[in-house]
Amino acid sequence: QIQSYSALVNQYGDRRIQFDERCQMSPADVSFKNGTTVMFDNRSPSSKTIKIGSQTYAFLPYGYKILTLSSAALPSKLVIGCDSAADVGKILLQANILGE
């Protein structure tokens, strides 16, 4: 089932990270529990290449991706890059203690 963009924005709420036309990440520093699914959202009229930790993703203009963030070693800090900018933000992954 395909959800509308606005339904996804509502569903992901504070688990949505946006990138603007200047590759600025909003919010710039966030924390999530390990295994959290996050919406990465390109709000730019141009394509972006976004690096999350060691993984690189191509985003179409106004495109988005739903990604599950996880790491074997916790806590883990993922540095975010966008196009030629190497450090536009950080995501801290924390242990998911007792399945919280």
Side-chain angles (χ1 to χ4, degrees):
Q1 174 178 332
I2 298 174
Q3 289 183 287
S4 71
Y5 174 79
S6 58
L8 287 169
V9 168
N10 287 335
Q11 177 183 345
Y12 284 90
D14 63 353
R15 294 178 293 128
R16 176 175 169 232
I17 296 174
Q18 299 179 72
F19 296 87
D20 68 14
E21 63 278 354
R22 296 177 303 123
C23 267
Q24 297 302 300
M25 181 175 141
S26 178
D29 289 295
V30 292
S31 296
F32 295 115
K33 298 289 185 188
N34 197 38
T36 298
T37 302
V38 177
M39 180 178 184
F40 290 87
D41 193 0
N42 177 18
R43 297 291 80 211
S44 167
S46 59
S47 297
K48 299 286 179 209
T49 300
I50 297 171
K51 187 172 183 181
I52 304 166
S54 62
Q55 299 292 316
T56 301
Y57 302 91
F59 284 76
L60 295 173
Y62 299 106
Y64 63 87
K65 294 187 185 300
I66 308 298
L67 303 171
T68 300
L69 303 178
S70 63
S71 175
L74 297 170
S76 178
K77 186 179 286 188
L78 302 174
V79 176
I80 311 301
C82 179
D83 289 342
S84 62
D87 185 354
V88 297
K90 293 178 181 57
I91 298 173
L92 177 63
L93 288 182
Q94 301 172 322
N96 190 351
I97 300 171
L98 299 176
E100 293 177 356

